[in-house]
Amino acid sequence: MHKRSAHRSLLVVGSVALDDIDGPFGMHRDLLGGSASFVARAAAYFTRSVSVVGVIGDDFPQRYVDELVELGVDVSGIERTAGDTFHWVGRYAPDLATRETLDTRLGVFANFDPKLPESYRDAELVLLGNIDPALQLNVLGQVRAPKLVAADTMNLWIDIKRDELLKMLAKVHTLMINDEEARQLAEEHNLRRAAAKILKYGPTSLVIKRGDAGALLFHGGGVFAAPAMPLTDVVDPTGAGDSFAGGLMGYLAYAGDLSPSTIRTAMIMGSVMGSFAVERFSVDGLRGLTTERIQQRFDEFIELARFERVRL
Ligand code: AMP
């Protein structure tokens, strides 16, 4: 699947983090995390044209940056500055279905003013990963003529940066959020109604991620459902949503078109990459995958949801 010359380039902005994760498998400290870390790794399996904008502090291990370079990712937009790397502390409930944020330390993100390298400004696909919506807008403003802009966000920004978030929504084509965030953003419990409301804020499509219940794509009155693969081993759901976004956008870059059927396939590819991510801690589930394993899991998804049309 590694295309040397992908049809479209993908620019990713997001957090590059060190995470402390607590839950049924104990406390794990200083794991590599951050939205951009998962997105870039998932997307890199589909296209060699991924570039990342982000910031790291002087405590961030260089080997994680080198690893991205080995995957063919352009890291010239990752800035290292004096201070601490963004640090997130979260705790999962015993069933891994819900989590709470215990601490968010912005560190070097607090003063980050991204300057896109010239080569990044012609990106065709842009993924604004979960990060302060003011930074998402700042980055988007530097891209010349993107064909597809997708964005993620989270409850923190809906709570404290709603105005900036609404400004950002007016400029994106696709919003990708989880069900709780959709309800909070729309102030509406029913997901179909919430989706209709959010689509009035600007995006033409909305992806609602629902953990092990799969993901829904709402667009132009229609809805498409991608299932989640029932897995035997789930240890760390952190980054599942970002890996989904990376698989989806990476596949769109690889496929080179934005037709409805390609977008449906991309939803499944997102589910494939999300399913790998949750099987290990941090980005480990995304490490060392092969085209064959990705293809095999994609085929399992076809079987999972295939049924015949009947005439009653
Ligand atoms: P996900 O599980 O897909 O929602 O993504 C989890 C990742 O998001 C973790 O690795 C965190 O480092 C990162 N994260 C958590 N809170 C924030 C935040 N407020 N801004 C940016 N990234 C965050």
Side-chain angles (χ1 to χ4, degrees):
M1 236 181 301
H2 278 301
K3 278 199 170 176
R4 289 275 147 198
S5 58
H7 288 99
R8 294 184 194 276
S9 47
L10 172 63
L11 169 63
V12 179
V13 61
S15 51
V16 181
L18 295 173
D19 292 343
D20 296 343
I21 309 282
D22 200 5
F25 298 100
M27 177 60 128
H28 290 68
R29 288 184 200 280
D30 290 324
L31 297 175
L32 171 61
S35 46
S37 303
F38 289 99
V39 172
R41 280 171 176 76
Y45 283 103
F46 300 93
T47 169
R48 288 270 161 174
S49 301
V50 180
S51 46
V52 179
V53 189
V55 63
I56 51 179
D58 32 32
D59 56 345
F60 191 80
Q62 181 59 31
R63 68 177 188 280
Y64 297 146
V65 180
D66 297 342
E67 189 181 59
L68 283 177
V69 174
E70 278 159 32
L71 293 170
V73 175
D74 186 340
V75 298
S76 53
I78 300 184
E79 212 179 287
R80 190 189 280 277
T81 61
D84 291 337
T85 297
F86 177 88
H87 206 112
W88 180 71
V89 185
R91 183 168 55 211
Y92 285 91
D95 64 0
L96 291 174
T98 55
R99 73 175 180 209
E100 58 178 324
T101 291
L102 301 180
D103 197 8
T104 299
R105 301 198 291 272
L106 287 181
V108 290
F109 256 112
N111 299 313
F112 185 42
D113 184 15
K115 294 273 174 294
L116 259 55
E118 185 53 32
S119 60
Y120 281 34
R121 298 184 61 208
D122 289 318
E124 292 166 286
L125 304 180
V126 178
L127 181 70
L128 306 172
N130 173 32
I131 196 179
D132 185 331
L135 284 178
Q136 292 177 315
L137 276 168
N138 177 333
V139 167
L140 186 56
Q142 297 179 56
V143 184
R144 287 196 184 92
K147 292 198 168 60
L148 179 74
V149 182
D152 188 4
T153 191
M154 73 181 296
N155 50 2
L156 175 71
W157 309 119
I158 302 173
D159 279 338
I160 68 169
K161 293 262 173 121
R162 194 177 174 96
D163 289 350
E164 286 88 343
L165 185 60
L166 291 176
K167 266 189 220 149
M168 187 272 286
L169 286 184
K171 297 200 167 154
V172 310
H173 303 104
T174 305
L175 178 67
M176 303 183 190
I177 49 180
N178 70 31
D179 43 3
E180 255 181 74
E181 293 154 356
R183 291 183 169 114
Q184 189 186 347
L185 179 61
E187 295 166 324
E188 163 66 57
H189 188 80
N190 178 284
L191 282 185
R192 196 146 195 167
R193 287 176 199 273
K197 203 163 164 191
I198 291 169
L199 290 175
K200 291 200 180 111
Y201 298 154
T204 47
S205 61
L206 170 68
V207 176
I208 299 186
K209 300 166 284 182
R210 307 176 67 202
D212 64 7
L216 298 170
L217 167 70
F218 292 92
H219 58 105
V223 56
F224 171 72
M229 182 59 67
L231 299 165
T232 315
D233 298 304
V234 177
V235 300
D236 179 14
T238 310
D242 304 314
S243 305
F244 177 97
L248 190 157
M249 295 295 279
Y251 181 76
L252 290 180
Y254 161 85
D257 74 84
L258 297 171
S259 69
S261 82
T262 300
I263 291 173
R264 286 178 174 226
T265 307
M267 285 282 293
I268 304 296
M269 217 50 100
S271 305
V272 166
M273 299 315 282
S275 75
F276 285 123
V278 302
E279 291 181 317
R280 305 268 184 280
F281 276 95
S282 179
V283 301
D284 286 355
L286 299 177
R287 283 196 171 111
L289 294 175
T290 57
T291 303
E292 290 69 30
R293 281 192 67 203
I294 294 173
Q295 180 74 56
Q296 189 186 15
R297 189 152 293 177
F298 182 84
D299 293 348
E300 287 169 18
F301 269 88
I302 298 179
E303 283 310 306
L304 185 66
R306 197 171 58 162
F307 53 90
E308 301 300 322
R309 179 186 292 274
V310 293
R311 295 256 171 246
L312 297 176

